[in-house]
Amino acid sequence: MIEAIEFPELARKYNVYGVPKVVINDAVEFEGALPEGPYLDKVLEALRQP
Amino acid sequence: MALIREKDRQLLEDKYRRELEGKVRLVYFTQGENLLHVPGRVECEQCKEMEELLQEVATLSPQFELVTYDFVADQAKAAEYGIDRIPALVLEGEDGSSHGVRFFGITSGYEFATLVEDLVDVSKGRSRLSEASQTKAAQIDRPVHIQIFVTPT
């Protein structure tokens, strides 16, 4: 968990405009909450990225 | 002045009495007291308040242990835990097991609720995900780094 206001350089790096914003392995990102199934799919999607 | 209101303190003490299983170590990295202003040094705006909050949290249950490190003076510890910015909090299970839960920045506002629940999860040391999700997650054989950006309001 990263507090976006305290660390603006990270918020800029990951284009955080809305929260919560989730970034997985710097490969997949999404804004807002997801149920666990689709959330896990995002994690697996991130692992498929080269 | 207490950061946790008396009413909340009682609710949390009750909750933790009921729900906690193993001990939880709250490993906190902060900026040491320094009366000298060092030009160019980044001051940690939230460190002191976060420390006060964690000191109060640590008193909510005898199962909690707060360990505080100075980010600069205890560089080796920071490196061991992979901490590159402060304030930072790592939650560790009883056997020193890491569940990968780390907080960067103050856990106030809505994020206090996240901390409250994560303390229980780490104490129990098991996932609340469904069996189907856990089976699916078991096939993951590489490290996964999940960053969740939040604001304290």
Side-chain angles (χ1 to χ4, degrees):
Chain A
M1 197 215 71
I2 300 162
E3 209 278 83
I5 294 167
E6 177 71 4
F7 303 111
E9 79 290 0
L10 280 181
R12 264 196 304 276
K13 180 179 172 190
Y14 291 103
N15 299 310
V16 177
Y17 299 114
V19 292
K21 174 154 184 179
V22 176
V23 181
I24 306 169
N25 282 5
D26 285 7
V28 167
E29 53 179 63
F30 59 91
E31 236 177 63
L34 279 182
E36 67 175 62
Y39 200 117
L40 190 52
D41 289 338
K42 291 284 185 189
V43 172
L44 298 174
E45 183 190 331
L47 289 171
R48 282 194 300 271
Q49 308 268 329
Chain B
M1 201 187 74
L3 296 168
I4 301 172
R5 286 175 301 180
E6 186 51 35
K7 202 175 121 226
D8 294 335
R9 155 175 289 279
Q10 285 172 17
L11 286 171
L12 289 169
E13 283 176 355
D14 284 347
K15 175 186 173 66
Y16 288 139
R17 250 194 302 275
R18 285 194 315 271
E19 297 181 14
L20 293 182
E21 293 179 19
K23 288 189 189 307
V24 180
R25 193 175 298 119
L26 295 88
V27 183
Y28 177 54
F29 289 88
T30 186
Q31 185 169 55
E33 284 291 329
N34 196 339
L35 299 175
L36 199 67
H37 178 75
V38 183
R41 186 179 72 167
V42 179
E43 296 297 324
C44 178
E45 305 280 346
Q46 297 180 327
C47 279
K48 200 165 185 303
E49 190 180 346
M50 179 70 168
E51 185 160 1
E52 284 168 14
L53 181 65
L54 291 177
Q55 280 167 354
E56 287 183 33
V57 168
T59 64
L60 295 173
S61 168
Q63 300 278 75
F64 295 152
E65 182 195 1
L66 174 62
V67 185
T68 303
Y69 292 111
D70 182 323
F71 180 59
V72 176
D74 301 313
Q75 267 177 25
K77 272 287 166 197
E80 184 186 319
Y81 282 93
I83 299 302
D84 58 357
R85 62 196 72 235
I86 51 170
L89 171 66
V90 181
L91 300 185
E92 256 184 0
E94 190 155 54
D95 49 359
S97 58
S98 157
H99 297 275
V101 181
R102 306 193 300 172
F103 296 88
F104 295 95
I106 192 161
T107 50
S108 61
Y110 281 127
E111 294 318 312
F112 186 62
T114 312
L115 173 62
V116 163
E117 293 304 327
D118 282 2
L119 285 165
V120 174
D121 288 343
V122 170
S123 171
K124 290 184 172 168
R126 47 177 193 270
S127 171
R128 277 191 282 167
L129 294 181
S130 68
E131 212 166 301
S133 293
Q134 292 197 38
T135 308
K136 211 167 166 185
Q139 63 177 283
I140 295 171
D141 56 2
R142 274 177 290 154
V144 177
H145 182 222
I146 302 179
Q147 298 181 89
I148 305 158
F149 289 91
V150 297
T151 51
T153 45

